[in-house]
Amino acid sequence: MSATEFSAGSGSGAGDHRPRPVVAVVLVAAGSGQRLGYGMPKARVPLGGEPILMHALRGVVASGVAQQVCVALPAGDGSLRQMCDDFKDELVDGGPLLTVVEGGGTRAESVRSALSALEEGTQAVLVHDAARALTPESVFLRVVDSLAAGALAVIPVVPVVDTVKTVEATRDDDARIAPEIVVGTAPREKLRAVQTPQGFDLDTLLKAHREVAGFSEAQAAAVTDDAMLVERLGIPVHAVRGASQSLKITTPLDLIIAEGLLEGPLGARWVEG
Ligand code: CTP
Ligand code: MG
């Protein structure tokens, strides 16, 4: 596909006629799923009878925001690669280009692997966790609309319902009383839980990821999302509304909740338009 053909796919923002950038979605699916404990990569774990990755792929494509979807898979996973190949046949004319790469040992490495396979002409990138298999289309649209309005970085967020405290390990004598002691209470009204897809101007995200090259192993391990790399550059990160059904399937309980959402009376992508 040429850069010209690639650009031709970019549409207009729904209803407001703002031109949308040429968007690629990076779908990171290369994790091993240790906490889910299925003994297989999480992307392959069945949800409502289909692998988690299939749900995630369908959601991205249904949102209609992407000219390219680049999936980072666990190294050497022939079964997921085959599934992606089969999915290409489901894509109608005018649908996104589907690219597959091998992920890395950390999430950030998987993101970088996918970024290196984006088409010429890509202007913006959405980085999305395959583990958030039920993210509604509306969240993708809010993120892309914010990019179209000028954001260089934008994340979907939801309010935090629990009171959040910072703690430290208790020392010496006090350890008999309890393992940790509270050192502060965060102001809950200002806290947000962060989801994906996180949207970025492509050059901004590439620059943010280049900084990681100078990180120590501990610093690299602490990179849990892409927005924090952009924050380090001093670039504003904007926030739009996420959705509670966009949960990250991490533990067995999350999988039960996701199954429940799929089986609910209104289907998977119901609430919170
Ligand atoms: N991911 C990735 N490459 C990695 C690690 C994670 O592409 N080396 C992806 C996962 O596939 C997932 C997303 O990043 O879609 C969020 O990661 P997480 O929920 O932690 O998934 P896993 O790393 O698979 O789970 P665990 O940490 O329990 O092993
Ligand atoms: Mg992980």
Side-chain angles (χ1 to χ4, degrees), residues 15 49-50 90 97 105 138 205 221 255:
E50 277 199 309
E90 277 187 37
L97 172 74
S138 53
L205 187 62
L255 192 58

Side-chain angles (χ1 to χ4, degrees), residues 80-149:
L80 285 174
R81 192 170 276 264
Q82 184 62 53
M83 203 192 77
C84 288
D85 281 345
D86 293 344
F87 183 67
K88 279 182 197 170
D89 298 334
E90 277 187 37
L91 294 174
V92 291
D93 265 0
L97 172 74
L98 185 64
T99 315
V100 171
V101 297
E102 278 197 356
T106 65
R107 183 186 181 280
E109 281 165 9
S110 297
V111 171
R112 283 193 288 282
S113 171
L115 289 177
S116 68
L118 297 189
E119 290 286 294
E120 196 74 24
T122 304
Q123 295 169 321
V125 59
L126 267 51
V127 182
H128 188 46
D129 291 336
R132 295 189 192 271
L134 301 181
T135 301
E137 293 161 30
S138 53
V139 176
F140 287 93
L141 295 173
R142 281 197 284 275
V143 168
V144 172
D145 283 346
S146 178
L147 290 170

